[in-house]
Amino acid sequence: MAQVIYAVDLIDEAWTVSLMGKPFGPYSTLDAAVRAASNAAHKAEAQGYDAVLTINTPPEPMRDGHAADAAQEGTAGALPGGEDDRAAGS
């Protein structure tokens, strides 16, 4: 089965989704980029591809010598589909 690779990255303070290394976006938030990448990966799987999605987030800032708790940042959750939350002007 052919494989497609999607990646979500923060590049120059903007979230992008890349497909096989070709970037798309920008997206206004990490959640919007993950939603777009997830939707695309599901569509690729429906077409018979083996889809891989990698989410590359920057390291959490250190607070008092401890990494910030990701749950407090609100980055975990379900990925609803169908929305296009790309930043204005794209």
Side-chain angles (χ1 to χ4, degrees):
M1 176 182 303
Q3 185 179 66
V4 291
I5 301 171
Y6 295 90
V8 175
D9 293 289
L10 183 62
I11 300 174
D12 296 330
E13 298 184 26
W15 291 103
T16 63
V17 173
S18 62
L19 169 59
M20 307 297 285
K22 180 179 179 185
F24 296 90
Y27 292 87
S28 57
T29 64
L30 169 62
D31 288 340
V34 169
R35 229 182 348 263
S38 178
N39 288 340
H42 285 292
K43 288 178 183 177
E45 288 178 331
Q47 295 173 0
Y49 291 93
D50 179 24
V52 175
L53 172 56
T54 303
I55 302 168
N56 301 306
T57 59
E60 293 290 329
M62 298 296 281
R63 280 192 249 146
D64 299 325
H66 301 287
D69 183 350
Q72 289 178 347
E73 300 296 325
T75 58
L79 299 173
E83 293 122 43
D84 184 358
D85 292 354
R86 283 182 282 172
S90 54

